[in-house]
Amino acid sequence: MIVANWKCNGSKTMIDAWFKNYIKDSEESNGVFIGIAPPTIYIERVANIAKKKSLQIKTGSQDIDISSGARTGAISIEMILDNNCYFSIIGHSERRELFSENNIEIRQKIIKIMDKTLPILCVGETLEDNKKDFTKDVLREQLEVINNLEFNNKLVIAYEPVWAIGSGLTPDPKDINEIHKFIKDVVQSNTNNSANPSVLYGGSVNSANAASFFNEDYVDGALVGGAALDGSSFAEIVNLFNGIKQ
Ligand code: 13P
């Protein structure tokens, strides 16, 4: 599973160029889930182009609001479902940091969407936590949002160390593998029906380093930011994934 998080980037012109490059460089896919989370205002445009070009690309949202109604600026789950969304990213570290999202809201969002669309829950430690060797404690606490829930559909966790996002730095692939196993164990132990999540790695993934992550057993894919803004480099990452994970 390879998912692009475009964050607050893009324009109509960028989207047209993106698809041109993606189509030029993407190889035959073996059915792997390929997703794009564009800014909400562009979801429909991206979905329409993907459909018109017969591409196996699914669109999703970068967030949802906990509710609907008198909440100026918010986008509800009903609107997301009404707009060709197959997944929603929840709890991205930028939402936690810049928009003060906490575990209570993140749990509410997960509960809202878990039976309706695919949640991609983001977790990850700061550099300070990492240096103090607190990574697993931080992740365990962030993962509390799914405690005692029953996931009848798929659940995806994205492990995105905050210090690796947009920095060009990444953990060692072996360390990522160990953390992904830890995440799977915690989720299995704490959900009512022992959910077995897919775990994506995110943080400075690009076409030069992606294979080193995909070669690890517990890495089920990637959540890609900067390198997903260009259709060619995103296609290369998808091609690598197709070649490694059958
Ligand atoms: P970068 O790939 O730009 O580091 O961003 C990762 C990310 O935050 C994806 O959600």
Side-chain angles (χ1 to χ4, degrees):
M1 176 174 194
I2 306 291
V3 178
N5 176 9
W6 283 0
K7 307 187 181 183
C8 192
N9 294 291
S11 62
K12 291 179 188 171
T13 315
M14 172 268 186
I15 292 169
D16 291 347
W18 193 96
F19 276 100
K20 216 166 136 203
N21 288 336
Y22 181 82
I23 290 165
K24 175 169 66 66
D25 290 323
S26 70
E27 292 162 4
E28 190 74 20
S29 165
N30 57 12
V32 48
F33 186 109
I34 305 166
I36 303 181
T40 312
I41 200 162
Y42 294 128
I43 290 174
E44 197 165 6
R45 187 180 186 89
V46 170
N48 284 343
I49 300 179
K51 193 171 167 200
K52 204 164 111 200
K53 306 277 185 195
S54 304
L55 298 171
Q56 303 295 318
I57 290 180
K58 296 188 162 41
T59 37
S61 69
Q62 297 175 11
D63 185 36
I64 55 149
D65 192 43
I66 49 170
S67 188
S68 60
R71 299 177 65 80
T72 300
I75 306 284
S76 72
I77 177 68
E78 290 78 17
M79 295 166 194
I80 291 304
L81 294 174
D82 204 22
N83 265 283
N84 305 295
C85 282
Y86 290 83
F87 64 93
S88 275
I89 298 172
I90 301 289
H92 192 281
S93 62
E94 287 151 16
R95 301 283 327 161
R96 295 176 197 255
E97 219 175 291
L98 305 173
F99 301 89
S100 310
E101 262 188 29
N102 59 33
N103 268 0
I104 296 171
E105 285 166 276
I106 292 169
R107 181 175 169 91
Q108 285 175 316
K109 291 180 180 187
I110 296 277
I111 291 172
K112 265 246 148 333
I113 68 167
M114 57 191 278
D115 291 328
K116 301 193 172 113
T117 191
L118 174 68
I120 302 183
L121 169 67
C122 298
V123 294
E125 81 287 1
T126 62
L127 187 58
E128 202 186 343
D129 296 328
N130 184 279
K131 283 193 170 149
K132 288 185 182 154
D133 213 11
F134 287 165
T135 299
K136 287 186 177 168
D137 302 296
V138 170
L139 297 179
R140 200 178 282 110
E141 198 196 318
Q142 292 173 336
L143 288 168
E144 279 174 10
V145 301
I146 46 97
N147 278 6
N148 306 318
L149 297 181
E150 189 166 319
F151 288 88
N152 297 312
N153 300 322
K154 192 81 197 136
L155 167 67
V156 178
I157 310 288
Y159 170 51
E160 299 206 310
V162 178
W163 54 275
I165 295 175
S167 64
L169 304 171
T170 64
D172 187 276
K174 294 268 172 275
D175 294 339
I176 294 174
N177 201 43
E178 190 205 319
I179 292 292
H180 282 209
K181 165 124 189 21
F182 169 79
I183 290 171
K184 284 174 192 260
D185 289 345
V186 171
V187 172
Q188 281 200 330
S189 315
N190 294 342
T191 46
N192 275 359
N193 54 343
S194 302
N196 179 20
S198 293
V199 184
L200 311 181
Y201 169 70
S204 295
V205 174
N206 56 44
S207 52
N209 62 18
S212 70
F213 308 128
F214 300 157
N215 278 320
E216 298 297 330
D217 286 349
Y218 295 105
V219 175
D220 301 314
L223 182 55
V224 189
L229 292 175
D230 174 70
S232 293
S233 77
F234 188 69
E236 279 177 48
I237 294 168
V238 173
N239 294 343
L240 287 165
F241 188 79
N242 271 316
I244 293 170
K245 305 263 182 190
Q246 295 304 324

